[in-house]
Amino acid sequence: MKFRLLFLPLLLSGFGSFAQTSLLQETTAPAAKHRISGTKPDGLVIYKTTAPIETDGQLDEPAWQHAQMGVDFSKQFPVDTGLADAHTEVLLTFDDRNLYIGVICRQPRADYTVQSLKRDFAGNTSDAINVLLNPSKDGLNGFLFSLSPINVQREALIDNGTTQSFEWDNRWTSAVRNYDDHWVAEMAIPFKTLRYSVAESDNSWLANFVRVRIKNWEVSTWRPVPRQFAANNLAFCHELQWASPPPKPGANVSLIPYTTARRDVFYQREPNSLEVLDKPGRNDFDLGGDAKIAVSPSLNLDLTFNPDFSQVEVDRQVANLSRFELFFPERRQFFLENRDLFAMFGFPNTRPFFSRRIGLARNPVSGFNEAVPILAGARLSGKLNDEWRIGLLNMQTDRINWDSARVLPAANFTVATVQKKVLKRSALSAIFVDKENFLGKLSEAQKDGIQPWNRIGGLEFNLYSADNRWEGEWYYHRSFSPDPNQRGQTLAQFLGYRDRHVSINTGYLMVDSNYTAEAGFVPRPGFQNVFTNVGLTFYPANSAINNWTVGVEGNGTFALDFQRTDHDLGVFGTINFQDQTFLNAVIWNTYTYLFEDFDPTNLYQAGTQPLPGQAGYTYTGARLRFTSSGTYNFQGSADLRFGEYFNGKGIALEGNLSYRLQPVGSFTLSYSYNHIRLPEPYASADFWIIGPRAELSFTRNLFASAFFQWNTQANNFNINARLQWRFAPVSDVFLVYTDNSFAEAVPDTRVRFLSPKNRALVLKVVYWLNL
C-alpha cells in the first residue's frame, strides 16, 4: 500500500508552489491606441519591421502603431448575426525570424474562466484567443495557436479543415498583461516552426481568429463562420497579404534525447487457484531519443531510436459487450503528427493502417496489452508544394517470446502515402501498407498461422466543398498475401450535406471475407453496410433554447449474399441550450443475427449458456443523454440506455461528474453501469467501471495527474499516476506509477480485493535541444 500511495505527499507538496505562482498583471491601465492604416474588409496587409520587438504584452513598439488592425469580430455562437459583445482587436507584423501577433481582448478580469495552468488545455474549458493559419490556402491543413487570459499556451496541427492534433509541440513565446476591463496578448511564432513555401508571385496566406468566452458562452470570429459549423474551421478564413515576402524558414533541427529508470514487478499466478508462484522484479535503465529535421520549409523528417512511451496515459477502460474487437485511440505522440496522412484512410472500422499495431500487443499468457520493443523508426511527412503532400513511415519492432510455444515475431512496418489537392478543398490520395514478419528463427510450430508478409494498396477521394456544406469520401482498398484466403478488397462511399436547417448523410461500405489488414483495424470481415440519417434543425428566437433538431437514422448490415445480419433504426430529438447544455433522446430498434453462440455479458460464467447461434434477435429500447454547460465549475453528463436486450432486458448508464478548481485543474468521477437480465439458462450480470481522476497544475511548470479505474467486468483495478516537471521549454521530468490488481475477490481462491497483478515505477527525463 505504501507503494500505491507514493504520489500523495508529492501532490500535497505542490500546493505550496502554486501559491507562489505569479501572473503578469496590471491593476488599471488603458489599452494602447493603435493606428489603423488601410484595413481591408476581407483581409489584412502584414508589414515588416526592422526594429526589435520584445514579447512582453505591451504592444508599445513603433511596428504596432503602424500595423493594420483586424476588428469587428462577428458572433458565431449563440447566434451568427451581428458583432460580438466582447470586442477583439488583432494586429500582425513580422521580421526575419518571427511572425508577431498582438491581440486586445475586452473582458472584465472577474469574468475569466481558466481551468488549468497546463499547456495544451482542452477546448471549451478556458477562455482563449485562437489563431488559425493556413499558409497553403488549401482550406484543409494548417496550424492553430491559442492563449488563455493568463498566458497558458496551446498549439495544434489542423487537418481536414477542422481536426486538431494538440500532440504537436513546438517552441514559441508569448506574454499576457491583464487589466480590469481587458487583457492584451502578444505572440512571437518563429517562422522555422511553420511549414510553408514562399511563392514568387502570390505572397498571401489564409487566417482566422477565434475568440471564446466560457462564462457568457460567446464565440466570435474575424471571418464570419456559420453557426452550424465548428468555429475553428479553415474553410472560413480571410487573406493575409504580405507587403514583402515572408522569409524562407531557416534550418530547423531538434534533438530530443531521453533516459529512463524503471522498476517492474510481475505476479505470476497458477491458472486455476491463482496462487502466486513467483513475483519477479526487473530493473531497467534505458536511453533513446528522437530527432526532428526540416528537410524543406514544408517537409519534415522525424527519427526515433528505442522510443519510450511510459509517460503516455493508460487507455480508458470500457464495458465490452461486443462480439468484435474494440477500438482504442492512439495516444503516443510520435504517431499523431500528420496522422491524416497515415491513420485516416478508410472508414473508422476499415482502417488499412492502425498505428497501435506497432509496439503494442496482447500477451496471450497474462491477458494484458503490453509494450512491444520498437527498435527504431522514421517518418517523412509534409508538403512538396501547395498541391502535393506525402507521407512515408517505417518502424522496426523486436521479437517477444510470450512463452516457450508462443512468439510474436520481429516485424517491419512501412506506410507510404501521397495526396494531390483537387478542386478548391478536396484531395485524391493513395496509400500502400506493408507488414513484414521475420520468421527465419522461428520453429515450424511457432510459425503456424503467421504469414511472412501482408500488404494493402488503396485509392481515396475526399470531398470538401468551398462553403463546407458538402463532404464526401470514396475509397477502394485491396489486400495482398501469400495466403490466397487473405487476398480481398473493401470499398465504400459517403456523402453528407449540411446547412443551417438540414443535414443528410448516406453511405455504403463493403468488406469481403478475405480482406486482411494485419497493420490495420478491421474488426469484422465479410459484410455490407448501408447507412443514412436525416436531421432538421430549428432556431427559436428569444428563447433559452439555442436550437433543436429532430431526425431519423438507420443502418443495415448484410452478408455478402445479402442475408440481413444487423440493423439499427432510430428516431431522435436533440436540444442545445444557450449555455451549451445538451439533451438528446432516441427510440431505437435493433436486429442482430448471431452466426455463432454468444454471451452478451462477455463473461461466459460457469452454470450459464451462451445464446445459440444461427438465430436472429430483435429488440427495442430508448436512450437519453445529458451534458451540462461548461459555464459552471460543477459539470456532469449522463447517458442512459434501457429496454430489451437480445431475448432479455438491459439497462446501461454512463457519464461523469467533474469540478473545475480554476486555475488549479479539475476533479472528475467517470462511471459506467450495466445491468443485463436474460432468461435462464442464459447469463445475467451487473458490472461497474468507476474512474476517479484528478488533473492538477501547481505552477506553470509542475503538474500531476492521477487516474483510477475499477472494472468489475475485467476484475481489474488500475492506478495510473504521473508527476511532470517542465524544467525547460518542451523538456520534462516524468515520474509515473502504474498498478494493476484485482477489483474483486475470486471465489475459492486466496485472491482478494487489491491482490496485485503487476506494478511499475518509471522515472523519465526528456530534453528538447534546438540546433
Side-chain angles (χ1 to χ4, degrees), residues 195 298-302 337-338 341-342 379-383 389-392:
R195 299 168 189 175
S298 55
L299 190 64
N300 207 61
L301 174 65
D302 293 270
E337 187 172 340
N338 278 330
L341 276 172
F342 301 100
R379 180 186 63 220
L380 179 70
S381 60
K383 288 179 174 286
R389 299 174 74 213
I390 62 168
L392 180 63

Side-chain angles (χ1 to χ4, degrees), residues 454-522:
N454 174 262
R455 295 166 189 156
I456 303 290
L459 292 173
E460 297 205 6
F461 174 65
N462 292 92
L463 169 71
Y464 298 93
S465 66
D467 61 5
N468 211 57
R469 294 187 178 189
W470 290 94
E471 180 180 348
E473 180 180 355
W474 292 260
Y475 79 75
Y476 176 80
H477 300 161
R478 189 163 188 86
S479 65
F480 305 89
S481 171
D483 182 356
N485 294 322
Q486 295 186 8
R487 302 171 189 169
Q489 62 185 345
T490 173
L491 57 88
Q493 74 84 22
F494 165 78
L495 185 64
Y497 174 82
R498 185 178 184 184
D499 67 13
R500 185 177 297 271
H501 296 287
V502 178
S503 65
I504 304 174
N505 299 290
T506 183
Y508 169 78
L509 168 66
M510 187 279 290
V511 182
D512 79 15
S513 300
N514 294 334
Y515 181 72
T516 305
E518 286 190 14
F521 181 79
V522 187

Side-chain angles (χ1 to χ4, degrees), residues 194 428 448 499 503 542 595 647 721:
L194 303 174
L428 181 65
D448 185 44
D499 67 13
S503 65
N542 303 318
F595 288 91
N647 63 344

Side-chain angles (χ1 to χ4, degrees), residues 192-224:
K192 67 180 183 179
T193 69
L194 303 174
R195 299 168 189 175
Y196 63 94
S197 56
V198 179
E200 296 295 330
S201 55
D202 182 15
N203 287 313
S204 63
W205 294 3
L206 294 179
N208 203 5
F209 305 97
V210 179
R211 175 91 180 276
V212 178
R213 292 191 304 139
I214 301 297
K215 186 172 183 179
N216 305 103
W217 263 124
E218 181 181 76
V219 180
S220 57
T221 60
W222 181 45
R223 161 74 190 271

Side-chain angles (χ1 to χ4, degrees), residues 63-286:
W64 294 119
Q65 308 303 317
H66 297 280
Q68 287 194 353
M69 180 183 288
V71 293
D72 295 338
F73 276 46
S74 301
K75 290 183 179 180
Q76 197 267 345
F77 185 89
V79 297
D80 57 4
T81 57
L83 298 181
D85 294 334
H87 292 186
T88 308
E89 301 152 7
V90 179
L91 303 101
L92 297 98
T93 186
F94 73 102
D95 59 20
D96 289 331
R97 299 184 62 182
N98 299 314
L99 169 64
Y100 298 97
I101 302 170
V103 188
I104 303 171
C105 299
R106 310 291 174 174
Q107 182 180 14
R109 191 198 303 266
D111 288 348
Y112 293 174
T113 299
V114 179
Q115 177 164 295
S116 173
L117 298 172
K118 188 175 182 180
R119 190 187 185 103
D120 290 339
F121 52 90
N124 295 334
T125 62
S126 299
D127 297 337
I129 179 68
N130 301 319
V131 178
L132 283 70
L133 300 175
N134 184 204
S136 63
K137 301 199 298 184
D138 60 2
L140 294 173
N141 303 285
F143 307 90
L144 178 143
F145 296 88
S146 302
L147 278 181
S148 78
I150 59 173
N151 197 31
V152 181
Q153 298 179 343
R154 67 173 184 168
E155 66 279 311
L157 294 177
I158 301 176
D159 58 73
N160 294 327
T162 58
T163 305
Q164 301 163 24
S165 300
F166 289 101
E167 296 77 15
W168 178 67
D169 280 327
N170 258 295
R171 289 184 173 184
W172 54 288
T173 59
S174 63
V176 171
R177 288 189 177 266
N178 304 93
Y179 304 93
D180 288 342
D181 62 348
H182 70 282
W183 52 281
V184 180
E186 189 171 14
M187 309 179 193
I189 303 171
F191 282 111
K192 67 180 183 179
T193 69
L194 303 174
R195 299 168 189 175
Y196 63 94
S197 56
V198 179
E200 296 295 330
S201 55
D202 182 15
N203 287 313
S204 63
W205 294 3
L206 294 179
N208 203 5
F209 305 97
V210 179
R211 175 91 180 276
V212 178
R213 292 191 304 139
I214 301 297
K215 186 172 183 179
N216 305 103
W217 263 124
E218 181 181 76
V219 180
S220 57
T221 60
W222 181 45
R223 161 74 190 271
V225 179
R227 66 200 286 187
Q228 67 267 27
F229 302 125
N232 292 331
N233 194 323
L234 293 181
F236 304 97
C237 291
H238 277 321
E239 187 175 87
L240 298 181
Q241 185 68 46
W242 301 88
S244 56
K248 292 184 178 181
N252 188 9
V253 178
S254 299
L255 298 180
I256 313 169
Y258 82 85
T259 182
T260 62
R262 183 184 186 103
R263 169 69 177 174
D264 291 279
V265 179
F266 304 92
Y267 291 78
Q268 297 178 358
R269 295 180 179 271
E270 199 278 329
N272 296 316
S273 68
L274 297 180
E275 290 287 338
V276 176
L277 302 176
D278 194 10
K279 51 177 182 179
R282 184 180 65 194
N283 297 320
D284 283 332
F285 297 90
D286 223 339

Side-chain angles (χ1 to χ4, degrees), residues 266-269 361-370 402-403 406 714 716 742 757-758:
F266 304 92
Y267 291 78
Q268 297 178 358
R269 295 180 179 271
R362 185 171 183 82
N363 184 335
V365 178
S366 68
F368 289 101
N369 285 330
E370 295 186 9
W402 301 122
D403 57 23
R406 288 171 285 189
N716 192 69
F742 286 89
K757 298 179 180 180
N758 57 68

Side-chain angles (χ1 to χ4, degrees), residues 708-719:
F708 304 83
Q709 297 183 94
W710 180 61
N711 185 337
T712 62
Q713 184 188 32
N715 198 1
N716 192 69
F717 181 73
N718 172 260
I719 300 173

Side-chain angles (χ1 to χ4, degrees), residues 570-645:
V571 178
F572 67 88
T574 299
I575 300 175
N576 289 295
F577 291 86
Q578 301 288 12
D579 65 355
Q580 294 276 25
T581 297
F582 166 86
L583 289 175
N584 171 256
V586 182
I587 299 175
W588 47 262
N589 175 267
T590 294
Y591 171 80
T592 302
Y593 184 86
L594 297 179
F595 288 91
E596 299 176 347
D597 294 354
F598 174 64
D599 179 359
T601 70
N602 264 328
L603 295 175
Y604 293 91
Q605 305 170 76
T608 65
Q609 296 180 15
L611 295 177
Q614 302 299 315
Y617 301 82
T618 302
Y619 40 106
T620 300
R623 182 179 189 180
L624 300 173
R625 289 188 293 167
F626 164 79
T627 302
S628 69
S629 170
T631 301
Y632 312 108
N633 288 331
F634 184 77
Q635 303 164 38
S637 68
D639 185 346
L640 173 65
R641 288 162 288 173
F642 57 92
E644 299 169 333
Y645 188 60

